[in-house]
Coordinates of all heavy atoms in Angstrom, one line a residue:
M1 N 226.9 117.3 -17.6 CA 228.1 118.1 -17.7 C 229.0 118.1 -16.4 O 230.2 118.0 -16.5 CB 227.5 119.6 -18.0 CG 228.6 120.6 -18.3 SD 229.4 120.2 -20.0 CE 230.9 121.2 -19.9
K2 N 228.2 118.1 -15.3 CA 228.9 118.0 -13.9 C 229.7 116.6 -13.9 O 230.8 116.5 -13.5 CB 227.9 118.0 -12.9 CG 227.9 119.4 -12.2 CD 227.0 119.4 -11.0 CE 226.9 120.8 -10.4 NZ 225.9 120.9 -9.3
A3 N 229.0 115.6 -14.5 CA 229.6 114.2 -14.4 C 230.9 114.2 -15.4 O 231.9 113.7 -15.0 CB 228.6 113.2 -14.9
A4 N 230.8 114.9 -16.4 CA 232.0 114.9 -17.4 C 233.2 115.6 -16.7 O 234.3 115.3 -16.8 CB 231.6 115.6 -18.6
R5 N 232.8 116.8 -16.0 CA 233.8 117.4 -15.3 C 234.5 116.6 -14.2 O 235.7 116.7 -14.0 CB 233.3 118.7 -14.6 CG 233.4 120.0 -15.6 CD 233.1 121.2 -14.8 NE 232.5 122.2 -15.8 CZ 231.8 123.2 -15.4 NH1 231.3 123.3 -14.1 NH2 231.3 124.1 -16.3
Y6 N 233.7 115.9 -13.5 CA 234.2 115.0 -12.5 C 235.1 114.0 -12.9 O 236.2 113.7 -12.5 CB 233.0 114.5 -11.7 CG 233.5 113.4 -10.6 CD1 234.0 113.9 -9.5 CD2 233.4 112.1 -10.9 CE1 234.5 113.0 -8.4 CE2 233.8 111.2 -9.9 CZ 234.4 111.5 -8.7 OH 234.7 110.6 -7.8
A7 N 234.6 113.4 -14.1 CA 235.5 112.4 -14.8 C 236.9 112.9 -15.3 O 237.9 112.2 -15.1 CB 234.7 111.7 -16.0
I8 N 236.9 114.2 -15.7 CA 238.1 114.7 -16.1 C 239.1 115.0 -15.0 O 240.2 114.6 -14.9 CB 237.9 116.0 -17.0 CG1 237.3 115.7 -18.3 CG2 239.2 116.8 -17.2 CD1 236.7 116.9 -19.0
A9 N 238.5 115.5 -13.8 CA 239.2 115.8 -12.6 C 239.8 114.4 -12.1 O 240.9 114.4 -11.7 CB 238.3 116.4 -11.7
L10 N 239.0 113.4 -12.1 CA 239.5 112.1 -11.6 C 240.6 111.6 -12.5 O 241.6 111.1 -12.0 CB 238.3 111.1 -11.6 CG 238.5 109.8 -11.0 CD1 238.8 109.8 -9.5 CD2 237.4 108.7 -11.3
A11 N 240.5 111.7 -13.8 CA 241.5 111.2 -14.6 C 242.8 112.0 -14.4 O 243.9 111.3 -14.4 CB 241.1 111.4 -16.1
V12 N 242.7 113.3 -14.3 CA 243.9 114.1 -14.0 C 244.5 113.7 -12.7 O 245.7 113.6 -12.5 CB 243.5 115.6 -13.9 CG1 244.7 116.4 -13.5 CG2 243.2 116.0 -15.4
S13 N 243.8 113.4 -11.6 CA 244.4 113.1 -10.3 C 245.0 111.7 -10.4 O 246.0 111.4 -9.7 CB 243.3 113.2 -9.2 OG 242.3 112.3 -9.5
L14 N 244.4 110.8 -11.2 CA 245.0 109.4 -11.3 C 246.4 109.6 -12.0 O 247.3 108.9 -11.6 CB 244.0 108.5 -12.1 CG 242.8 108.1 -11.3 CD1 241.9 107.2 -12.2 CD2 243.3 107.2 -10.1
L15 N 246.3 110.5 -13.1 CA 247.7 110.6 -13.8 C 248.7 111.2 -12.9 O 249.8 110.8 -12.9 CB 247.4 111.7 -15.0 CG 246.9 111.0 -16.3 CD1 246.7 112.1 -17.3 CD2 248.0 110.1 -16.9
G16 N 248.3 112.1 -12.1 CA 249.2 112.7 -11.1 C 249.9 111.7 -10.2 O 251.0 111.7 -9.9
A17 N 249.0 110.8 -9.7 CA 249.4 109.7 -8.9 C 250.5 108.8 -9.5 O 251.5 108.3 -8.9 CB 248.3 108.9 -8.3
Q18 N 250.2 108.6 -10.8 CA 251.0 107.7 -11.6 C 252.4 108.3 -11.8 O 253.4 107.6 -11.8 CB 250.4 107.3 -12.9 CG 249.4 106.2 -12.8 CD 248.9 105.8 -14.1 OE1 248.9 106.5 -15.1 NE2 248.3 104.5 -14.3
V19 N 252.5 109.6 -12.0 CA 253.7 110.3 -12.3 C 254.6 110.2 -11.0 O 255.8 110.0 -11.2 CB 253.5 111.7 -12.7 CG1 254.8 112.5 -12.7 CG2 252.9 111.8 -14.1
Q20 N 254.0 110.3 -9.9 CA 254.8 110.4 -8.6 C 255.3 109.0 -8.1 O 256.5 108.9 -7.7 CB 254.0 110.9 -7.5 CG 253.8 112.4 -7.6 CD 253.1 113.0 -6.4 OE1 252.5 112.3 -5.7 NE2 253.1 114.4 -6.3
A21 N 254.5 107.9 -8.3 CA 255.0 106.6 -8.0 C 255.6 105.9 -9.1 O 255.1 105.8 -10.2 CB 253.8 105.8 -7.4
A22 N 256.9 105.5 -8.8 CA 257.7 104.8 -9.9 C 257.6 103.3 -9.7 O 257.2 102.8 -8.6 CB 259.1 105.2 -9.8
E23 N 257.7 102.5 -10.7 CA 257.8 101.1 -10.7 C 259.2 100.6 -10.9 O 259.7 101.0 -12.1 CB 256.9 100.5 -11.8 CG 256.8 98.9 -11.6 CD 256.0 98.2 -12.8 OE1 256.4 98.4 -13.9 OE2 255.0 97.6 -12.5
H24 N 259.8 99.9 -10.1 CA 261.2 99.4 -10.2 C 261.1 97.9 -10.5 O 260.3 97.2 -10.0 CB 262.0 99.6 -8.9 CG 262.0 100.9 -8.4 ND1 263.0 101.8 -8.5 CD2 261.0 101.6 -7.7 CE1 262.8 103.0 -8.1 NE2 261.6 102.9 -7.5
V25 N 261.9 97.6 -11.5 CA 261.8 96.1 -11.9 C 263.1 95.3 -11.4 O 264.3 95.8 -11.6 CB 261.8 96.0 -13.5 CG1 261.8 94.5 -13.9 CG2 260.5 96.6 -14.0
V26 N 262.8 94.2 -10.7 CA 263.9 93.4 -10.3 C 263.8 92.0 -10.9 O 262.7 91.4 -10.9 CB 263.9 93.3 -8.8 CG1 264.9 92.2 -8.3 CG2 264.2 94.7 -8.0
V27 N 264.9 91.5 -11.5 CA 264.8 90.3 -12.2 C 265.3 89.2 -11.4 O 266.3 89.3 -10.7 CB 265.6 90.4 -13.6 CG1 265.7 89.0 -14.2 CG2 265.0 91.3 -14.5
Q28 N 264.6 88.0 -11.3 CA 265.1 86.9 -10.6 C 265.7 85.8 -11.7 O 265.0 85.4 -12.6 CB 264.0 86.2 -9.9 CG 263.3 87.0 -8.9 CD 261.8 86.7 -8.6 OE1 261.0 86.8 -9.5 NE2 261.5 86.4 -7.4
K29 N 267.1 85.7 -11.7 CA 267.7 85.0 -12.6 C 269.0 84.3 -12.0 O 269.8 84.9 -11.2 CB 268.1 85.9 -13.8 CG 268.4 85.0 -15.1 CD 268.7 86.0 -16.3 CE 268.9 85.2 -17.6 NZ 269.1 86.1 -18.7
G30 N 269.2 83.0 -12.3 CA 270.4 82.3 -11.8 C 270.3 82.2 -10.3 O 271.3 82.4 -9.5
R31 N 269.1 82.1 -9.8 CA 268.9 81.9 -8.3 C 269.4 83.2 -7.6 O 270.0 83.1 -6.5 CB 269.6 80.7 -7.7 CG 268.9 79.4 -8.2 CD 269.6 78.2 -7.6 NE 269.0 77.1 -8.4 CZ 268.7 75.8 -7.8 NH1 268.9 75.9 -6.4 NH2 268.3 74.9 -8.5
A32 N 269.2 84.4 -8.3 CA 269.7 85.6 -7.6 C 268.6 86.7 -8.0 O 268.2 86.7 -9.1 CB 271.0 85.9 -7.8
F33 N 268.6 87.7 -7.1 CA 267.9 89.0 -7.6 C 268.9 89.8 -8.4 O 270.2 89.7 -8.0 CB 267.5 89.8 -6.3 CG 266.4 89.2 -5.6 CD1 266.6 88.6 -4.2 CD2 265.1 89.0 -6.0 CE1 265.6 88.0 -3.6 CE2 264.1 88.4 -5.4 CZ 264.3 88.0 -4.1
S34 N 268.4 90.6 -9.3 CA 269.4 91.2 -10.3 C 270.1 92.4 -9.6 O 271.1 93.0 -10.0 CB 268.5 91.8 -11.4 OG 267.5 92.6 -11.1
V35 N 269.5 92.9 -8.4 CA 270.3 93.9 -7.6 C 270.2 93.4 -6.1 O 269.3 92.8 -5.7 CB 269.7 95.3 -7.7 CG1 270.0 95.8 -9.0 CG2 268.2 95.3 -7.4
K36 N 271.3 93.7 -5.4 CA 271.4 93.3 -4.0 C 270.8 94.4 -3.1 O 270.3 94.2 -1.9 CB 272.8 93.1 -3.6 CG 273.5 91.8 -4.2 CD 273.2 90.6 -3.3 CE 273.6 89.3 -4.0 NZ 272.5 88.3 -3.8
Q37 N 270.8 95.6 -3.7 CA 270.2 96.7 -2.9 C 269.6 97.6 -3.8 O 270.0 97.8 -5.0 CB 271.4 97.5 -2.2 CG 271.0 98.5 -1.1 CD 270.9 99.8 -1.7 OE1 271.2 100.2 -2.8 NE2 270.0 100.6 -1.0
L38 N 268.4 98.2 -3.3 CA 267.6 99.1 -4.2 C 267.1 100.2 -3.4 O 266.6 100.0 -2.3 CB 266.4 98.2 -4.8 CG 265.5 98.9 -5.9 CD1 266.3 99.2 -7.2 CD2 264.2 98.1 -6.1
N39 N 267.2 101.5 -4.0 CA 266.7 102.7 -3.3 C 265.3 103.0 -3.9 O 265.3 103.2 -5.2 CB 267.6 103.8 -3.4 CG 268.9 103.7 -2.6 OD1 268.8 103.1 -1.5 ND2 270.0 104.0 -3.1
V40 N 264.3 103.2 -3.2 CA 263.0 103.6 -3.8 C 262.4 104.6 -3.0 O 262.9 104.9 -1.8 CB 262.0 102.3 -4.0 CG1 262.6 101.2 -4.7 CG2 261.5 102.0 -2.6
K41 N 261.3 105.3 -3.4 CA 260.7 106.3 -2.7 C 259.4 105.7 -2.1 O 258.8 104.8 -2.8 CB 260.3 107.5 -3.6 CG 261.5 108.4 -3.7 CD 260.9 109.8 -4.4 CE 262.1 110.8 -4.4 NZ 261.7 112.0 -5.2
Q42 N 258.9 106.2 -1.0 CA 257.7 105.7 -0.4 C 256.5 105.9 -1.5 O 256.4 106.8 -2.1 CB 257.4 106.7 0.8 CG 256.3 106.0 1.6 CD 256.1 106.9 3.0 OE1 256.9 107.8 3.2 NE2 255.1 106.6 3.7
G43 N 255.9 104.7 -1.7 CA 254.7 104.7 -2.6 C 255.1 104.1 -3.9 O 254.3 103.6 -4.8
D44 N 256.4 103.9 -4.2 CA 256.9 103.1 -5.3 C 256.5 101.7 -5.3 O 256.5 101.2 -4.2 CB 258.5 103.3 -5.4 CG 258.9 104.6 -6.0 OD1 258.0 105.5 -6.2 OD2 260.0 104.8 -6.1
S45 N 256.5 101.1 -6.5 CA 256.3 99.6 -6.4 C 257.6 99.0 -7.0 O 258.2 99.5 -7.8 CB 255.0 99.2 -7.2 OG 255.3 99.6 -8.6
I46 N 257.6 97.7 -6.6 CA 258.7 96.8 -7.3 C 258.1 95.6 -7.9 O 257.2 94.9 -7.3 CB 259.7 96.3 -6.1 CG1 260.3 97.5 -5.3 CG2 260.8 95.5 -6.8 CD1 261.1 97.0 -4.2
K47 N 258.5 95.4 -9.1 CA 258.0 94.4 -9.9 C 259.1 93.2 -10.0 O 260.2 93.6 -10.5 CB 257.5 94.8 -11.2 CG 257.0 93.7 -12.1 CD 256.6 94.4 -13.5 CE 256.0 93.5 -14.5 NZ 255.8 94.1 -15.7
F48 N 258.8 92.1 -9.5 CA 259.8 91.0 -9.6 C 259.4 90.0 -10.7 O 258.3 89.5 -10.9 CB 259.7 90.2 -8.2 CG 260.1 90.9 -7.1 CD1 259.2 91.6 -6.3 CD2 261.4 91.0 -6.7 CE1 259.6 92.3 -5.2 CE2 261.9 91.7 -5.6 CZ 260.9 92.4 -4.8
V49 N 260.4 90.1 -11.7 CA 260.2 89.3 -12.9 C 261.1 87.8 -12.8 O 262.3 88.1 -12.6 CB 260.6 90.1 -14.1 CG1 260.3 89.2 -15.5 CG2 259.7 91.4 -14.2
N50 N 260.5 86.7 -13.0 CA 261.1 85.5 -12.9 C 261.6 85.1 -14.4 O 260.8 84.7 -15.2 CB 260.1 84.5 -12.3 CG 261.0 83.1 -12.1 OD1 262.1 83.0 -12.5 ND2 260.3 82.1 -11.5
E51 N 263.0 85.1 -14.4 CA 263.5 84.7 -15.8 C 264.2 83.4 -15.7 O 264.9 82.8 -16.5 CB 264.4 85.8 -16.3 CG 263.8 86.9 -16.7 CD 264.6 88.1 -17.5 OE1 265.9 87.7 -17.7 OE2 264.0 89.0 -17.9
D52 N 264.0 82.6 -14.4 CA 264.6 81.3 -14.3 C 263.6 80.3 -14.7 O 262.2 80.5 -14.7 CB 265.0 81.1 -12.8 CG 266.3 81.5 -12.5 OD1 267.3 81.3 -13.4 OD2 266.6 81.9 -11.4
P53 N 263.9 79.1 -15.2 CA 263.0 78.0 -15.7 C 262.4 77.2 -14.5 O 262.0 76.1 -14.6 CB 263.8 77.1 -16.4 CG 265.2 77.2 -15.9 CD 265.3 78.7 -15.4
F54 N 262.3 77.9 -13.3 CA 261.7 77.3 -12.1 C 261.1 78.4 -11.3 O 261.3 79.6 -11.6 CB 262.7 76.5 -11.3 CG 264.0 77.1 -11.1 CD1 264.2 78.2 -10.2 CD2 265.1 76.8 -11.9 CE1 265.5 78.7 -10.0 CE2 266.3 77.3 -11.8 CZ 266.5 78.3 -10.9
A55 N 260.3 78.1 -10.2 CA 259.5 79.0 -9.5 C 260.4 79.7 -8.5 O 261.4 79.1 -7.9 CB 258.4 78.3 -8.8
H56 N 260.0 81.0 -8.2 CA 260.7 81.7 -7.1 C 259.5 82.3 -6.3 O 258.4 82.4 -6.7 CB 261.4 83.0 -7.6 CG 262.7 82.6 -8.2 ND1 263.8 82.0 -7.5 CD2 263.3 82.8 -9.5 CE1 264.8 81.8 -8.4 NE2 264.5 82.3 -9.5
N57 N 259.8 82.7 -5.0 CA 258.9 83.2 -4.1 C 259.4 84.6 -3.7 O 260.7 84.8 -3.8 CB 258.7 82.3 -2.9 CG 258.2 83.0 -1.7 OD1 258.9 83.7 -0.9 ND2 256.9 82.9 -1.5
V58 N 258.6 85.5 -3.3 CA 259.0 86.7 -2.7 C 258.4 87.0 -1.5 O 257.2 87.0 -1.4 CB 258.8 88.0 -3.6 CG1 259.7 89.3 -3.2 CG2 259.2 87.6 -5.1
F59 N 259.2 87.2 -0.5 CA 258.6 87.6 0.8 C 259.4 88.5 1.7 O 260.6 88.6 1.3 CB 258.2 86.3 1.7 CG 259.3 85.7 2.4 CD1 259.4 85.9 3.8 CD2 260.1 84.8 1.8 CE1 260.6 85.3 4.4 CE2 261.2 84.3 2.4 CZ 261.4 84.4 3.7
S60 N 258.9 89.1 2.7 CA 259.6 89.9 3.7 C 259.0 89.7 5.1 O 257.8 89.7 5.2 CB 259.7 91.4 3.3 OG 260.5 92.0 4.3
L61 N 259.9 89.6 6.1 CA 259.4 89.7 7.4 C 259.8 90.9 8.2 O 259.6 91.1 9.3 CB 260.1 88.5 8.2 CG 259.7 87.1 7.7 CD1 260.6 86.0 8.4 CD2 258.3 86.8 7.8
S62 N 260.2 91.9 7.3 CA 260.7 93.3 7.9 C 259.5 94.0 8.5 O 258.3 94.0 8.0 CB 261.3 94.0 6.8 OG 262.5 93.4 6.3
E63 N 259.8 94.8 9.5 CA 258.7 95.5 10.2 C 258.2 96.6 9.4 O 257.0 96.9 9.4 CB 259.4 96.2 11.5 CG 259.0 95.6 12.8 CD 259.6 96.3 13.9 OE1 259.1 97.5 14.0 OE2 260.3 95.8 14.6
T64 N 259.0 97.2 8.5 CA 258.7 98.2 7.5 C 257.6 97.8 6.6 O 256.6 98.4 6.3 CB 259.8 98.7 6.7 OG1 260.8 99.2 7.6 CG2 259.4 99.9 5.7
K65 N 257.8 96.6 6.0 CA 256.9 95.9 5.1 C 257.0 94.5 5.0 O 257.9 93.9 4.7 CB 257.3 96.5 3.6 CG 256.2 96.0 2.5 CD 255.0 96.7 2.6 CE 254.0 96.1 1.5 NZ 252.8 96.8 1.5
S66 N 256.0 93.8 5.7 CA 255.9 92.4 5.8 C 254.9 92.0 4.8 O 253.8 92.4 4.7 CB 255.4 92.0 7.2 OG 255.2 90.6 7.3
F67 N 255.4 91.0 3.9 CA 254.5 90.6 2.8 C 254.9 89.2 2.3 O 256.1 88.7 2.6 CB 254.5 91.6 1.6 CG 255.9 91.7 0.9 CD1 256.2 90.9 -0.1 CD2 256.8 92.7 1.4 CE1 257.4 91.0 -0.7 CE2 258.0 92.8 0.7 CZ 258.3 92.0 -0.3
D68 N 254.0 88.5 1.7 CA 254.4 87.2 1.1 C 253.7 87.2 -0.4 O 252.4 87.1 -0.4 CB 254.0 86.0 1.8 CG 254.4 84.7 1.3 OD1 254.9 84.7 0.1 OD2 254.3 83.7 2.1
L69 N 254.4 87.4 -1.4 CA 253.8 87.4 -2.8 C 253.5 85.9 -3.3 O 253.0 85.7 -4.4 CB 254.7 88.1 -3.7 CG 255.0 89.6 -3.3 CD1 255.8 90.3 -4.4 CD2 253.7 90.3 -3.1
G70 N 254.0 84.9 -2.6 CA 253.7 83.5 -3.1 C 254.7 83.2 -4.1 O 255.7 84.0 -4.4
A71 N 254.6 82.0 -4.7 CA 255.4 81.5 -5.7 C 255.0 81.9 -7.2 O 253.7 82.0 -7.3 CB 255.5 79.9 -5.6
H72 N 255.9 82.1 -8.0 CA 255.5 82.5 -9.3 C 256.5 81.8 -10.3 O 257.8 81.8 -10.1 CB 255.4 83.9 -9.7 CG 256.6 84.7 -9.3 ND1 257.0 85.0 -8.1 CD2 257.5 85.4 -10.1 CE1 258.2 85.7 -8.1 NE2 258.3 86.0 -9.4
G73 N 256.1 81.2 -11.4 CA 256.9 80.5 -12.3 C 257.6 81.4 -13.4 O 257.5 82.6 -13.4
Q74 N 258.2 80.7 -14.3 CA 259.1 81.4 -15.4 C 258.2 82.3 -16.2 O 257.1 81.9 -16.6 CB 259.7 80.2 -16.2 CG 260.5 80.9 -17.4 CD 261.1 79.7 -18.3 OE1 260.7 78.6 -18.3 NE2 262.2 80.0 -18.9
G75 N 258.8 83.5 -16.4 CA 258.0 84.4 -17.3 C 256.9 85.2 -16.6 O 256.3 86.0 -17.2
T76 N 256.6 85.0 -15.3 CA 255.6 85.6 -14.7 C 256.2 86.6 -13.7 O 257.4 86.5 -13.3 CB 254.7 84.7 -13.9 OG1 255.4 84.0 -12.9 CG2 254.0 83.7 -14.9
S77 N 255.4 87.5 -13.1 CA 255.9 88.6 -12.2 C 254.9 88.7 -11.1 O 253.8 88.4 -11.1 CB 256.2 89.8 -12.9 OG 255.0 90.3 -13.4
K78 N 255.5 89.4 -10.0 CA 254.7 89.7 -8.8 C 255.1 91.2 -8.5 O 256.3 91.5 -8.6 CB 254.9 88.9 -7.7 CG 254.4 87.4 -7.9 CD 253.0 87.2 -7.4 CE 252.5 85.7 -7.6 NZ 251.3 85.5 -6.9
S79 N 254.2 91.9 -8.0 CA 254.5 93.3 -7.6 C 254.1 93.6 -6.2 O 253.2 93.0 -5.7 CB 253.7 94.3 -8.5 OG 254.3 94.2 -9.8
V80 N 254.8 94.4 -5.6 CA 254.5 94.9 -4.1 C 254.8 96.4 -4.1 O 255.7 97.0 -4.7 CB 255.4 94.1 -3.2 CG1 256.8 94.4 -3.2 CG2 254.9 94.5 -1.7
V81 N 253.9 97.1 -3.3 CA 254.0 98.6 -3.3 C 254.7 98.8 -1.8 O 254.4 98.3 -0.8 CB 252.7 99.2 -3.1 CG1 252.8 100.7 -2.9 CG2 252.1 99.0 -4.4
M82 N 255.8 99.7 -1.8 CA 256.6 100.0 -0.6 C 255.9 101.3 -0.1 O 256.3 102.4 -0.4 CB 258.0 100.3 -0.9 CG 258.7 99.0 -1.4 SD 258.8 97.8 -0.1 CE 259.1 96.3 -1.0
D83 N 255.0 101.2 0.8 CA 254.1 102.2 1.3 C 254.6 102.8 2.7 O 254.1 103.8 3.1 CB 252.7 101.9 1.5 CG 252.5 100.4 2.0 OD1 253.4 100.0 2.6 OD2 251.4 99.8 1.9
K84 N 255.7 102.3 3.2 CA 256.3 102.8 4.4 C 257.7 103.1 4.3 O 258.4 102.2 3.6 CB 256.0 101.8 5.5 CG 254.7 102.2 6.3 CD 254.5 101.1 7.5 CE 255.5 101.5 8.7 NZ 255.3 100.4 9.7
A85 N 258.3 104.0 4.9 CA 259.7 104.4 4.8 C 260.5 103.5 5.7 O 259.9 103.2 6.8 CB 260.1 105.9 5.0
G86 N 261.7 103.1 5.4 CA 262.4 102.2 6.2 C 263.2 101.1 5.4 O 263.3 101.3 4.1
T87 N 263.7 100.1 6.1 CA 264.5 99.0 5.4 C 263.7 97.9 5.3 O 263.0 97.5 6.3 CB 265.8 98.7 6.2 OG1 266.5 100.1 6.3 CG2 266.6 97.9 5.5
V88 N 263.7 97.3 4.1 CA 263.0 96.0 3.8 C 263.9 94.9 3.4 O 264.5 95.1 2.2 CB 261.8 96.2 2.8 CG1 261.0 94.9 2.6 CG2 260.9 97.4 3.3
E89 N 264.1 93.8 4.1 CA 264.8 92.8 3.5 C 264.0 91.8 2.9 O 262.9 91.2 3.4 CB 265.4 92.0 4.8 CG 266.9 91.7 4.5 CD 267.5 91.2 5.9 OE1 267.5 90.0 6.2 OE2 268.1 92.0 6.7
V90 N 264.3 91.6 1.6 CA 263.4 90.8 0.7 C 264.2 89.4 0.5 O 265.3 89.4 0.3 CB 263.2 91.4 -0.7 CG1 262.4 90.5 -1.6 CG2 262.5 92.8 -0.5
E91 N 263.3 88.3 0.6 CA 264.0 87.0 0.5 C 263.0 86.1 -0.4 O 261.9 86.5 -0.8 CB 264.1 86.3 1.9 CG 264.9 87.1 2.8 CD 264.9 86.5 4.3 OE1 265.3 85.4 4.4 OE2 264.4 87.3 5.1
C92 N 263.7 84.9 -0.7 CA 262.8 83.9 -1.5 C 262.7 82.7 -0.7 O 263.7 82.2 -0.1 CB 263.6 83.6 -2.8 SG 263.0 82.2 -3.7
A93 N 261.5 82.2 -0.5 CA 261.3 81.0 0.5 C 261.9 79.7 -0.3 O 262.1 78.8 0.5 CB 259.9 80.9 0.7
V94 N 262.0 79.6 -1.6 CA 262.4 78.6 -2.3 C 263.9 78.5 -2.2 O 264.5 77.3 -2.0 CB 261.9 78.6 -3.8 CG1 262.3 77.3 -4.5 CG2 260.5 78.8 -3.8
H95 N 264.6 79.6 -2.3 CA 266.1 79.6 -2.2 C 266.6 80.5 -1.2 O 266.7 81.7 -1.4 CB 266.7 80.1 -3.6 CG 266.1 79.4 -4.8 ND1 265.0 79.9 -5.5 CD2 266.4 78.2 -5.4 CE1 264.7 79.0 -6.6 NE2 265.5 77.9 -6.3
P96 N 267.0 80.0 -0.1 CA 267.4 80.7 1.1 C 268.6 81.7 0.8 O 268.6 82.7 1.6 CB 267.8 79.6 2.2 CG 267.1 78.5 1.8 CD 267.0 78.5 0.3
D97 N 269.3 81.4 0.0 CA 270.5 82.3 -0.4 C 270.0 83.7 -1.2 O 270.9 84.5 -1.3 CB 271.5 81.6 -1.2 CG 272.3 80.6 -0.4 OD1 272.2 80.7 0.9 OD2 272.9 79.7 -0.9
M98 N 268.8 83.6 -1.6 CA 268.4 84.8 -2.4 C 267.9 85.9 -1.5 O 266.8 85.7 -0.8 CB 267.1 84.3 -3.3 CG 267.6 83.7 -4.7 SD 266.2 83.3 -5.6 CE 265.7 85.0 -6.4
K99 N 268.6 87.0 -1.4 CA 268.2 88.1 -0.6 C 268.6 89.4 -1.2 O 269.6 89.5 -2.1 CB 269.1 88.0 0.8 CG 268.5 87.0 1.7 CD 269.4 86.8 2.9 CE 268.9 85.6 3.9 NZ 269.6 85.4 5.1
M100 N 267.8 90.3 -0.8 CA 268.1 91.7 -1.3 C 267.5 92.8 -0.2 O 266.6 92.3 0.5 CB 267.6 92.1 -2.7 CG 266.0 92.1 -2.8 SD 265.5 92.7 -4.4 CE 266.0 94.4 -4.4
V101 N 268.1 93.9 -0.2 CA 267.7 94.9 0.6 C 267.0 96.2 0.0 O 267.7 96.6 -1.1 CB 268.8 95.4 1.6 CG1 268.3 96.5 2.5 CG2 269.3 94.2 2.4
V102 N 265.8 96.6 0.2 CA 265.3 97.7 -0.2 C 265.2 98.9 0.7 O 264.8 98.7 1.9 CB 263.8 97.4 -0.7 CG1 263.2 98.7 -1.4 CG2 263.8 96.3 -1.7
D103 N 265.7 100.1 0.4 CA 265.7 101.2 1.3 C 264.6 102.1 0.8 O 264.8 102.6 -0.3 CB 267.1 101.9 1.3 CG 268.1 101.1 2.1 OD1 267.8 100.7 3.3 OD2 269.2 100.8 1.6
V104 N 263.6 102.3 1.6 CA 262.4 103.1 1.2 C 262.6 104.5 1.8 O 262.5 104.5 3.0 CB 261.1 102.5 1.7 CG1 259.9 103.3 1.0 CG2 261.0 101.0 1.2
K105 N 262.7 105.5 1.1 CA 262.8 106.9 1.6 C 261.5 107.7 1.4 O 260.8 107.5 0.4 CB 264.0 107.7 0.8 CG 265.4 106.9 1.0 CD 266.2 107.8 1.8 CE 267.4 107.0 2.4 NZ 268.2 106.2 1.5
K106 N 261.3 108.6 2.3 CA 260.0 109.4 2.2 C 260.2 110.5 1.1 O 261.2 110.8 0.7 CB 259.9 110.2 3.5 CG 259.2 109.3 4.6 CD 258.8 110.2 5.8 CE 258.2 109.3 6.9 NZ 257.9 110.0 8.1
Ligands
LIG1 CU1 264.2 81.7 -5.6

């Protein structure tokens, strides 16, 4: 009985976390990100979906969030969580002209 109660409490807390954090989708198409600028809240994630017939990469050297999601091909996606507030410049290592800015608010 105690275990069941714990399981329910855990499920509710997980649901609560899901409601608070949003997932934003950015499409990579025509060698460009679908948006140049994106506002998100701390804890939100961004899903990058590649709709081009070739590979893209997603990375950032920003102090707020430094990451490298590596390369991903057509029809695949990569996600990153914006866990700190600040500005994050997102780039593609394959195409130097592909850039976007994410503003993460608390
Ligand atoms: Cu690219």
Side-chain angles (χ1 to χ4, degrees):
M1 194 62 193
K2 261 187 183 172
R5 266 193 210 152
Y6 175 73
I8 290 166
L10 183 67
V12 169
S13 66
L14 285 175
L15 270 176
Q18 275 184 342
V19 168
Q20 284 186 345
E23 184 187 61
H24 305 263
V25 176
V26 172
V27 174
Q28 300 154 297
K29 199 173 185 182
R31 293 184 190 219
F33 291 110
S34 55
V35 288
K36 289 276 168 220
Q37 193 273 339
L38 186 66
N39 293 319
V40 308
K41 280 190 172 174
Q42 193 173 352
D44 284 0
S45 63
I46 303 172
K47 183 180 179 183
F48 295 91
V49 182
N50 185 357
E51 291 190 359
D52 270 330
F54 41 80
H56 286 295
N57 158 281
V58 191
F59 79 97
S60 178
L61 299 175
S62 299
E63 256 182 63
T64 302
K65 181 75 182 179
S66 177
F67 64 90
D68 186 350
L69 302 181
H72 59 290
Q74 182 178 22
T76 62
S77 63
K78 293 268 184 171
S79 293
V80 62
V81 176
M82 294 297 163
D83 40 23
K84 270 178 74 184
T87 303
V88 181
E89 223 171 88
V90 177
E91 301 174 65
C92 169
V94 185
H95 309 101
D97 288 341
M98 281 181 73
K99 283 180 185 180
M100 67 172 290
V101 174
V102 180
D103 288 309
V104 187
K105 299 248 160 53
K106 276 191 181 173

